[in-house]
């Protein structure tokens, strides 16, 4: 193979390597951005972390103070929104 | 957080696909319009590498959705337009754009069988598939409303759109054919 051809092949290999590195870097950077955005509760779909978990409880008016000690957590449901 | 990993991967791959395809289209238009002299081989290698990276990103973007427990998408939902009914018509526009880019991209390796002149005419449709991809990401993309996404998209898409306009819009200085 001629030196010109070898140099050309080396240049093409270098371009392919650069594009691969750029593509992987872009993917990791965007992945990290979305992950952090989600972790701090600023995801556009999930919103703030406190809003994502909406605990709805069936509240019954308590007639006596003893009722307040009853466990109502079992009626709570967690709902998360994703789009 | 861990149960969102597939979803995050899909979003990241989608953004990467948009950026890489914009770069591939930009390089392709630069090459086709002969805007840079004497760098044909470099541009061709970059165009091919960017196109292949785009195709991989598209496959990851779609395949990652199969693992998302919320969307619970089937293979049919992510490959057949209007099969899922999720966020239509943007989902279907994305599927059509994805298949378009995959088919037109892979056709490069069969251009001698297709015929070079025919393949070149066919290859111009890649720009339409790319524009459909932009519409899909802006219409359906979860991050379409975020500043970082819009800035990244603008940086990648605007130059390529400019090159596309230069290529397809009639030049005002071009001589108009006169009837004799």
């Amino acid at each position: 193979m001629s030196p010109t051809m070898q140099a050309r092949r080396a240049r093409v290999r270098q371009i392919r390597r650069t594009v691969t590195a750029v593509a992987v870097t872009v993917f990791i950077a965007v992945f990290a951005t979305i992950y952090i955005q989600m972790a701090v509760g600023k995801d556009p779909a999930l919103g703030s972390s406190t809003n994502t978990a909406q605990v709805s409880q069936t509240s019954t008016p308590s007639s006596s103070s003893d009722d307040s000690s009853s466990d109502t957590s079992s009626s709570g449901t967690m709902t998360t929104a994703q789009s | 957080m861990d149960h969102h990993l597939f979803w995050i991967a899909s979003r990241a791959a989608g953004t990467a696909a948009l950026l890489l395809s914009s770069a591939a289209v930009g390089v392709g238009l630069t090459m086709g319009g002969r805007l840079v002299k004497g760098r044909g081989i470099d541009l061709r290698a970059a165009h091919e590498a960017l196109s292949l990276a785009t195709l991989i990103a598209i496959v990851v973007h779609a395949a990652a959705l199969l693992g998302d427990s919320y969307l619970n998408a089937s293979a049919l939902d992510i490959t057949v337009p209007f099969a899922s009914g999720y966020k239509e018509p943007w989902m279907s526009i994305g599927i059509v754009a994805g298949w378009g880019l995959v088919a037109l991209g892979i056709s490069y390796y069969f251009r001698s069988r297709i015929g070079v002149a025919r393949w070149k005419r066919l290859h111009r449709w890649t720009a339409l598939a790319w524009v459909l991809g932009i519409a899909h990401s802006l219409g359906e993309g979860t991050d379409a409303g975020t500043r970082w996404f819009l800035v990244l998209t603008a940086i990648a898409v605007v130059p390529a759109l400019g090159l596309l306009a230069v290529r397809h819009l009639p030049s005002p200085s071009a001589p108009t054919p006169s009837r004799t």
Side-chain angles (χ1 to χ4, degrees):
Chain A
M1 195 188 298
S2 68
T4 319
M5 199 69 177
Q6 274 181 335
R8 187 181 288 180
R9 283 200 173 183
R11 217 163 61 218
V12 167
R13 257 202 310 273
Q14 181 59 44
I15 290 167
R16 283 180 185 159
R17 248 184 250 135
T18 307
V19 169
T20 305
V22 168
V24 171
T25 306
V26 166
F27 176 79
I28 291 170
V30 176
F31 189 99
T33 304
I34 297 170
Y35 191 92
I36 293 165
Q37 181 177 271
M38 212 178 259
V40 298
K42 287 187 176 176
D43 190 73
L46 300 179
S48 68
S49 53
T50 50
N51 289 340
T52 55
Q54 298 169 341
V55 180
S56 60
Q57 296 183 340
T58 313
S59 59
T60 49
S62 54
S63 54
S64 68
S65 58
D66 291 345
D67 291 336
S68 62
S69 62
S70 64
D71 182 22
T72 56
S73 64
S74 59
S75 62
T77 54
M78 294 270 282
T79 55
T80 55
Q82 179 182 322
S83 60
Chain B
M1 282 295 287
D2 286 350
H3 58 285
H4 289 312
L5 285 180
F6 281 108
W7 186 38
I8 298 171
S10 178
R11 284 161 67 177
T15 305
L18 180 66
L19 301 177
L20 291 164
S21 62
S22 302
V25 168
V27 172
L29 288 166
T30 306
M31 210 166 69
R34 292 177 176 79
L35 299 173
V36 179
K37 305 283 181 194
R39 301 297 296 268
I41 294 157
D42 291 357
L43 288 175
R44 189 179 292 270
H47 181 61
E48 188 184 0
L50 285 165
S51 303
L52 288 173
T54 300
L55 299 188
I56 292 167
I58 288 170
V59 170
V60 172
H61 174 54
L65 288 176
L66 294 173
D68 182 37
S69 55
Y70 177 83
L71 191 61
N72 204 17
S74 66
L76 209 69
D77 292 335
I78 59 161
T79 52
V80 179
F82 298 106
S84 76
Y86 179 75
K87 285 197 174 183
E88 294 296 357
W90 306 115
M91 181 81 162
S92 296
I93 288 172
I95 293 169
V96 170
W99 278 123
L101 289 172
V102 168
L104 292 165
I106 290 173
S107 73
Y108 172 75
Y109 301 101
F110 299 96
R111 66 191 184 286
S112 58
R113 212 178 283 180
I114 295 166
V116 175
R118 191 182 294 161
W119 175 80
K120 277 186 177 173
R121 280 198 301 275
L122 201 68
H123 194 63
R124 287 182 191 145
W125 289 95
T126 309
L128 178 67
W130 170 65
V131 170
L132 288 176
I134 299 167
H136 162 73
S137 58
L138 293 176
E140 187 177 359
T142 308
D143 303 295
T146 62
R147 195 175 297 163
W148 65 264
F149 179 85
L150 293 172
V151 169
L152 271 182
T153 303
I155 290 168
V157 167
V158 171
L161 276 179
L163 287 167
L164 192 64
V166 167
R167 182 77 177 269
H168 288 287
L169 292 178
S171 166
S173 60
T176 51
S178 58
R179 283 188 190 173
T180 51

